[in-house]
Amino acid sequence: MLATDMQTMSLGLSPCPNDTYIFHALLHGIVPPPVPLKPHIADVEELNALACRRQLDVTKMSVGATVRIMHDYALLSSGAALGWGCGPLIVARKNIPPADWRRASVAVPGLMTTANQLLSLHGGFAGPRTEMLFSDVMPAVARGEVDMGLVIHEGRFTYERLGLVKLLDLGQWWEATYHLPLPLGAIAVRRDIPLALARRMQGAITASLAHANAHPEESRDFIREHAQEMDETVTRAHIRTFVTDFSLDLGQAGRAAIEMLVARTAELVGTAMPKEGLFLR
């Protein structure tokens, strides 16, 4: 099917509460989509990989993976996970002095995740990294398979249950270094999607989130169906942390934060920024 004659649109989202909260109304017909949607719900690292192969029309993705797809995808202004106090954590079984961080082994929730890019940008961690599903990171640390773990999603609120300690909050490091909110995830649309259709999809995501904010209990069962963590206190904290005003609209500060992270990552890997810019026009 040609992109100019789309009858359906594939949509990638993660099973995390912030995504299922944002997209519930859109996926359940409460907010009508511009065309019928074919949802693909998967871990964000799988979504990153699918976007690298241009296999999704619209998808949630790690901002840290933008350098790999930015010539094929543009970022939308709605649906992002971006804010203050929401960064990934580095945890361990016991306190490890900063002088030993550089050589320590680290379990990471995907090499394309924003968390892993932040670890690289920090510059203080040069030890071996073991890639695994985000939900396996903390158990691997607790079993002593690695020295440290890079924790995202619900793990921010639950690592102490496994007897782990926090060594560093990479969000706090980012905020102190760049004086910008931390961009974790964003929604990307293929650049060959007709502009009018892409803009309608962007508006539909905004409307879906606005509905969720006005009727937060409607999405409760859908969120629980997909969540890794069943504790409702944790789920509510997750949504409060990762669904912010920037999720409705990036605004100037949100765009500046994404541009900074992508530009710094592009410098690390030697990639040129797209001439057409990162964002949907």
Side-chain angles (χ1 to χ4, degrees):
M1 184 192 307
L2 297 175
T4 54
D5 186 31
M6 298 189 71
Q7 297 179 12
T8 62
M9 182 180 286
S10 56
L11 170 65
L13 67 151
S14 82
C16 294
N18 58 305
D19 280 357
T20 47
Y21 177 84
I22 290 172
F23 285 98
H24 170 262
L26 187 56
L27 292 177
H28 290 79
I30 301 167
V31 170
V35 294
L37 300 175
K38 296 170 59 178
H40 182 83
I41 300 177
D43 178 71
V44 71
E45 188 72 340
E46 179 180 330
L47 300 179
N48 291 336
L50 290 172
C52 287
R53 299 194 294 270
R54 301 178 72 247
Q55 292 184 354
L56 293 169
D57 298 318
V58 180
T59 187
K60 176 69 172 289
M61 55 157 293
S62 299
V63 174
T66 301
V67 292
R68 299 171 182 258
I69 70 164
M70 59 189 175
H71 297 286
D72 294 319
Y73 286 80
L75 303 182
L76 303 185
S77 64
S78 56
L82 189 153
W84 304 93
C86 62
L89 308 179
I90 299 174
V91 301
R93 294 182 304 284
K94 61 182 180 180
N95 282 312
I96 300 174
D100 295 334
W101 291 358
R102 188 163 188 82
R103 297 183 298 275
S105 60
V106 187
V108 300
L111 296 177
M112 288 186 284
T113 60
T114 305
N116 190 58
Q117 293 304 324
L118 289 170
L119 199 66
S120 297
L121 290 175
H122 181 277
F125 300 86
R129 300 182 191 181
T130 301
E131 185 179 19
M132 59 184 66
L133 191 65
F134 80 92
S135 55
D136 294 335
V137 168
M138 292 192 300
V141 177
R143 291 191 298 266
E145 297 171 5
V146 289
D147 299 321
M148 302 175 178
L150 188 54
V151 172
I152 60 174
H153 303 327
E154 295 95 328
R156 180 179 181 84
F157 312 104
T158 61
Y159 67 91
E160 292 177 311
R161 295 180 185 174
L162 278 74
L164 304 178
V165 298
K166 178 176 69 176
L167 301 179
L168 180 67
D169 185 325
L170 281 169
Q172 290 180 355
W173 168 80
W174 168 270
E175 292 170 17
T177 303
Y178 297 103
H179 309 289
L180 289 166
L182 176 63
L184 294 169
I187 308 299
V189 59
R190 278 176 46 173
R191 292 187 185 271
D192 60 351
I193 300 291
L195 182 58
L197 178 57
R199 287 174 172 168
R200 287 171 60 200
M201 186 62 185
Q202 179 173 259
I205 295 170
T206 303
S208 185
L209 175 52
H211 182 90
N213 288 340
H215 308 278
E217 291 304 313
E218 286 188 8
S219 57
R220 182 171 176 269
D221 290 343
F222 183 58
I223 292 169
R224 285 181 59 81
E225 178 185 348
H226 295 283
Q228 291 281 334
E229 173 59 54
M230 292 293 104
D231 187 324
E232 290 201 24
T233 302
V234 172
T235 296
R236 287 194 295 270
H238 182 116
I239 293 169
R240 284 196 306 270
T241 301
F242 298 110
V243 180
T244 67
D245 289 343
F246 293 112
S247 303
L248 278 169
D249 187 272
L250 288 172
Q252 183 176 353
R255 288 174 180 247
I258 289 175
E259 287 172 343
M260 177 63 76
L261 194 147
V262 175
R264 287 301 319 280
T265 303
E267 289 172 7
L268 277 182
V269 299
T271 299
M273 299 288 280
K275 295 179 180 179
E276 58 268 57
L278 294 176
F279 303 98
L280 185 70
R281 301 186 304 275

